[in-house]
Amino acid sequence: MPLKGKIAYFKRAIKTIWLRQMPYGLVSLAFLNPWPSPEVLLHRQLFCRGIPKAPRLIVFLINIGLWLRWVLFFAWREARRYVGLYGSDVASRDGKSRVRQLMECLWLALAHCVHPQAYYHYRLYRCCARNTHWSYVNNSELVSYHRRNANSEYADLQRGLLSHKYVFGERMRQQGVSVAESKLLPKGTTYSQLSLNPVTSYFLKPDRGSQSIGAFRLDFNDCGNPMLRYFSDTVLSEGTAVDLIDRYFGDVDYLLQPLYENDGGFSVLDCGSDEVIVLRIITWRIGQEISPYCAYLEIPVVIDGVKKGYLFAQVNTDSGKVLQGSLELSAVYRSELVDSFKTRLKGFIVPRWRECLANNILAHRQFSELETVAWDNVVTSERALILEGNSGWSVELPQMFCGGLVARALD
């Protein structure tokens, strides 16, 4: 790697560490126990393994600084913030005072480096949930957890293929997997070079992007001029849109895709958004068999004409039926909206569920070294399509819906 590239890499690494709140993995008093439970032992194995290819001693030294910053500042701030967000609801529903919640949050945060967010998202405040924080993989262990399941040079190559969306799509099509159509726009492409139909809408995203960063919808006004729209519904038009598109294209390779629409069966879930409902299915490999671990819908929500975010609803992986009660597990919106969607989802079965699941399993069979993959799908009136696959998927929502991953990791 040239010296300039090494300096840029070093700067990015320093920035990432500086912005990080928590150590890499849990730092727990329980790790001092010479006879730990299997759950504690697993978390101890994940400690200091969050930076790929970095010597563990280096990660340990970095963790000392991150841990001190966490216990001296961030743990206190985050505990206070999350008790402020959820404390009153828990107090009225479960009868546990805000002071008690704060003390328990701080104990988990200071003694085990468990984030206060996990205390509420995994319902650790319930008496029956005492000590069950060991059952969950924490966000601070995310990278080390996924690499523990697939830690080889060939697994790295397969992760790279998943992250390279265009090549991934081409390879999958060759194997009979249904994936979204896309055209590769090499870095340096300009808007003027595109051949676009002004009566059609498009979707563009970085070829190697993640978390929708740099992704946008492209429409055209009555004069045929471009209108760029983000997921937040922010709209830029004409010259401003063209300048920004050219700037994006000048930085990285982009993918140009059709703007897909959901199957008509999803109309009951329409909330005034023109964004598609995405179906995420997480598959995992058990021996030679591949089966679904968890599935859920990501439903875009519009309130009073303004895009507010998403509701998440778990899907039964045996039947494709949406579980109404799952809406409450991740809801951060007013209860009347959740109640409305619970009514809409009564008896709702995901259209083309069997087709979509079989397509995801077929895709996973092409990645022999990866134990788990999360697939984002769009179900259209014609077929179910994979938008992309993710080997480093976030563990929070799946564990809220389907239980902790630690027991699965110990099998």
Side-chain angles (χ1 to χ4, degrees):
M1 180 186 295
L3 178 60
K4 186 177 180 180
K6 291 181 179 180
I7 293 174
Y9 175 82
F10 182 74
K11 287 182 177 178
R12 287 196 301 271
I14 293 296
K15 183 179 180 180
T16 299
I17 294 169
W18 177 254
L19 294 176
R20 187 180 176 89
Q21 284 188 2
M22 305 187 72
Y24 289 93
L26 303 186
V27 182
S28 172
L29 294 175
F31 291 173
L32 300 176
N33 183 353
W35 300 283
S37 67
E39 292 80 9
V40 173
L41 182 59
L42 174 67
H43 287 285
R44 193 165 71 181
Q45 291 170 350
L46 297 179
F47 174 65
C48 282
R49 295 189 183 276
I51 305 179
K53 299 182 180 179
R56 202 170 187 190
L57 176 60
I58 297 298
V59 184
F60 178 78
L61 294 175
I62 292 172
N63 257 2
I64 292 175
L66 291 172
W67 176 76
L68 286 173
R69 196 166 59 173
W70 171 252
V71 298
L72 293 177
F73 176 69
F74 283 117
W76 301 84
R77 188 192 71 174
E78 294 300 288
R80 184 172 179 270
R81 182 162 76 96
Y82 277 91
V83 171
L85 286 172
Y86 301 114
S88 297
D89 288 342
V90 171
S92 61
R93 186 176 62 244
D94 292 80
K96 179 169 287 189
S97 71
R98 287 165 55 95
V99 172
R100 177 83 178 275
Q101 293 174 52
L102 179 62
M103 297 305 294
E104 291 180 352
C105 267
L106 285 173
W107 168 252
L108 287 173
L110 298 174
H112 305 294
C113 280
V114 173
H115 199 285
Q117 185 180 54
Y119 175 78
Y120 287 103
H121 284 184
Y122 301 142
R123 277 42 175 189
L124 300 179
Y125 48 77
R126 293 178 176 169
C127 293
C128 60
R130 190 181 304 275
N131 292 326
T132 56
H133 59 275
W134 295 118
S135 301
Y136 298 93
V137 175
N138 291 263
N139 286 334
S140 62
E141 303 170 297
L142 182 63
V143 174
S144 51
Y145 168 74
H146 285 305
R147 297 194 74 86
R148 175 186 182 274
N149 294 332
N151 188 22
S152 69
E153 184 176 349
Y154 194 44
D156 287 339
L157 291 174
Q158 294 191 346
R159 272 190 282 262
L161 175 58
L162 277 176
S163 67
H164 196 327
K165 298 180 179 63
Y166 179 75
V167 175
F168 161 76
E170 293 299 300
R171 296 274 183 89
M172 291 304 99
R173 267 186 284 274
Q174 294 172 8
Q175 301 301 320
V177 179
S178 296
V179 294
E181 297 295 327
S182 61
K183 177 181 179 182
L184 182 65
L185 305 178
K187 178 181 176 181
T189 300
T190 62
Y191 176 79
S192 62
Q193 295 174 311
L194 304 182
S195 297
L196 304 176
N197 186 340
V199 298
T200 302
S201 295
Y202 299 90
F203 185 72
L204 292 101
K205 62 183 180 183
D207 182 38
R208 292 178 177 268
S210 62
Q211 300 179 337
S212 301
I213 297 173
F216 59 89
R217 169 177 173 164
L218 185 62
D219 299 304
F220 301 90
N221 61 20
D222 294 339
C223 298
N225 295 317
M227 298 175 61
L228 184 154
R229 182 184 304 236
Y230 293 108
F231 281 109
S232 62
D233 275 352
T234 301
V235 179
L236 301 174
S237 60
E238 302 187 13
T240 304
V242 171
D243 290 343
L244 187 57
I245 290 171
D246 285 346
R247 196 182 315 155
Y248 282 148
F249 289 177
D251 291 336
V252 295
D253 295 341
Y254 256 77
L255 291 184
L256 175 68
Q257 296 182 328
L259 189 69
Y260 290 104
E261 295 183 356
N262 285 123
D263 181 276
F266 285 96
S267 60
V268 68
L269 305 181
D270 180 43
C271 194
S273 173
D274 52 12
E275 185 181 338
V276 294
I277 295 172
V278 171
L279 169 62
R280 168 162 282 203
I281 300 177
I282 301 170
T283 55
W284 57 18
R285 184 185 302 276
I286 303 175
Q288 297 302 313
E289 296 297 319
I290 296 173
S291 60
Y293 155 60
C294 188
Y296 53 91
L297 294 175
E298 300 177 358
I299 307 170
V301 175
V302 174
I303 301 175
D304 300 328
V306 179
K307 170 72 179 297
K308 292 293 186 180
Y310 300 88
L311 280 175
F312 302 96
Q314 184 184 356
V315 178
N316 183 295
T317 56
D318 291 326
S319 64
K321 184 177 181 180
V322 175
L323 307 179
Q324 299 165 272
S326 65
L327 284 170
E328 298 179 350
L329 296 177
S330 62
V332 294
Y333 301 102
R334 51 195 183 191
S335 59
E336 58 265 29
L337 179 66
V338 174
D339 291 341
S340 168
F341 268 89
K342 286 174 69 175
T343 301
R344 297 189 200 186
L345 287 168
K346 185 176 181 179
F348 183 84
I349 297 177
V350 176
R352 300 181 177 274
W353 167 254
R354 293 295 175 191
E355 174 191 336
C356 188
L357 179 58
N359 192 48
N360 286 194
I361 290 175
L362 177 60
H364 195 160
R365 292 193 190 284
Q366 316 310 315
F367 295 87
S368 58
E369 294 296 308
L370 300 183
E371 182 174 316
T372 64
V373 182
W375 308 98
D376 288 342
N377 303 269
V378 57
V379 181
T380 72
S381 58
E382 298 176 347
R383 54 181 176 159
L385 299 167
I386 293 176
L387 297 173
E388 59 185 61
N390 187 345
S391 62
W393 46 275
S394 174
V395 296
E396 190 169 55
L397 264 175
Q399 290 187 117
M400 291 167 69
F401 288 143
C402 301
L405 284 162
V406 169
R408 167 70 181 86
L410 292 173
D411 288 345

